[in-house]
Amino acid sequence: MTNLTIPSFLRSLIDTSNNKNIRPKGKINNINTNNHIQTKNMIKNKNFIGRSVASFFKGGLTELKFENNVLNIKEGVNYKAKTFFSGDAEFTIKDHKLTKLMQVIGIDDSEIFSNQELDDIGRTEQFIELLAGDYPIDKKLMLLRTFYPQPLDIKIRLERLGAECNKEISFNGCNENLYFDQNGWLYSKEELRNLRGSYLERNFFEYGYDENSQIIIDGKEYKLDETGHISGIPEEAICIPSRVKLIK
C-alpha cells in the first residue's frame, strides 16, 4: 500500500494531542477558543473530510459504477460509491475484502458521522463487498437475499451504482448475467428457465382458467389450448411475476 504523508493542515485535525492551539495549557484566550471551536466543526464536517481523504491518494477517488450494466470492481483501486443518504462511501478492495479509506489514514469516522449515517455507509460497504466477493453466482445470490431480504433495498443500491432495471447485469464473480427486475429481484439463468418451464407444464384448467382467459407473458398474449396448457413461449421470454399477467 502507498505510504501516505498527512499534510500539516489536516494533521492538526486528526492528532490534537500535541497541538497547543487545540489543547492549550493554562489560560485559554479568545483566539485559541475560536480555533478550537472551528477545528471541531471542521472535523465534524463530512464534506471537508471527504475532500481531504481524496487528496491523500494519487489520482483521487474513482467512482464505482456500472458501465453498460457491468460492474467491474478492481483490487487496489481507491473508490467512492453513493450511499442512500450519507454521501459517498470511500474504500478500497484487497483480496475481495473492503477497507475504509478513512481507516487507512487513521481517521475515526464515528467522530464525523452520526450513527444513522454510519449504518447507511456500513450497509453500502457490506453490499459492495458481497458484489466483490469470490463466490459462485448461486452463493452470491443467496448472500444478497439473506442480508438484503427486501428487494427494494437491492434495487435502490444497484441503481445508485448505475445499474438499469429490466435488463441483464453482471458484476464480479458472475460467470453469467443476471436479470435485474424492476422490483429489485435478481434472477439467474437457471431460475428464469425454471419459471418458463413452470408455465409450460401447468394445467391452468385446474386453477379455474379457461380458453377465454387472458394470459400475458413478457408483453405477449397467449391462449390456453384444449388441455389447459400454454404453448409457444419462446426461450428468451422473461417469465418473472412482474412480467406475467393472468386474468380469468
Side-chain angles (χ1 to χ4, degrees), residues 45-201:
N45 188 319
K46 58 181 177 293
N47 291 324
F48 174 83
I49 293 295
R51 290 194 297 270
S52 299
V53 168
S55 70
F56 282 111
F57 301 93
K58 185 177 180 180
L61 306 182
T62 300
E63 183 177 359
L64 181 65
K65 59 182 179 180
F66 282 83
E67 298 288 349
N68 298 319
N69 267 6
V70 176
L71 186 68
N72 185 19
I73 307 174
K74 298 179 181 178
E75 300 238 333
V77 176
N78 299 314
Y79 284 114
K80 61 180 180 179
K82 292 182 175 64
T83 66
F84 266 23
F85 57 82
S86 306
D88 292 329
E90 299 174 340
F91 57 90
T92 189
I93 299 289
K94 183 178 180 180
D95 297 329
H96 307 286
K97 299 297 181 182
L98 182 145
T99 300
K100 296 172 178 285
L101 292 182
M102 285 192 179
Q103 179 182 342
V104 171
I105 62 175
I107 295 178
D108 183 358
D109 56 4
S110 67
E111 296 180 359
I112 301 167
F113 299 99
S114 68
N115 289 337
Q116 189 177 26
E117 289 172 323
L118 287 172
D119 181 66
D120 178 35
I121 293 170
R123 291 281 286 170
T124 297
E125 291 170 338
Q126 180 188 52
F127 186 77
I128 291 169
E129 190 171 70
L130 286 177
L131 297 184
D134 187 22
Y135 313 115
I137 188 59
D138 55 344
K139 183 175 182 180
K140 188 168 289 192
L141 280 175
M142 182 272 290
L143 290 171
L144 285 170
R145 291 166 180 171
T146 298
F147 290 101
Y148 299 85
Q150 299 299 323
L152 183 59
D153 194 357
I154 292 178
K155 173 182 167 66
I156 294 175
R157 294 186 187 282
L158 287 174
E159 289 183 333
R160 294 287 281 172
L161 293 173
E164 296 180 75
C165 64
N166 292 328
K167 294 183 178 181
E168 291 186 348
I169 67 172
S170 178
F171 43 78
N172 290 52
C174 290
N175 52 9
E176 63 179 57
N177 292 344
L178 301 174
Y179 188 82
F180 178 27
D181 173 48
Q182 64 188 24
N183 295 321
W185 285 99
L186 293 172
Y187 295 92
S188 67
K189 296 288 188 183
E190 181 180 6
E191 289 172 330
L192 291 177
R193 286 193 297 268
N194 291 339
L195 285 169
R196 175 177 174 271
S198 68
Y199 285 106
L200 290 171
E201 296 168 4

Side-chain angles (χ1 to χ4, degrees), residues 11-20 22-25:
R11 185 163 55 246
S12 64
L13 305 184
I14 300 171
D15 182 5
T16 63
S17 59
N18 296 317
N19 192 312
K20 294 182 180 180
I22 297 177
R23 297 187 182 275
K25 295 181 180 179

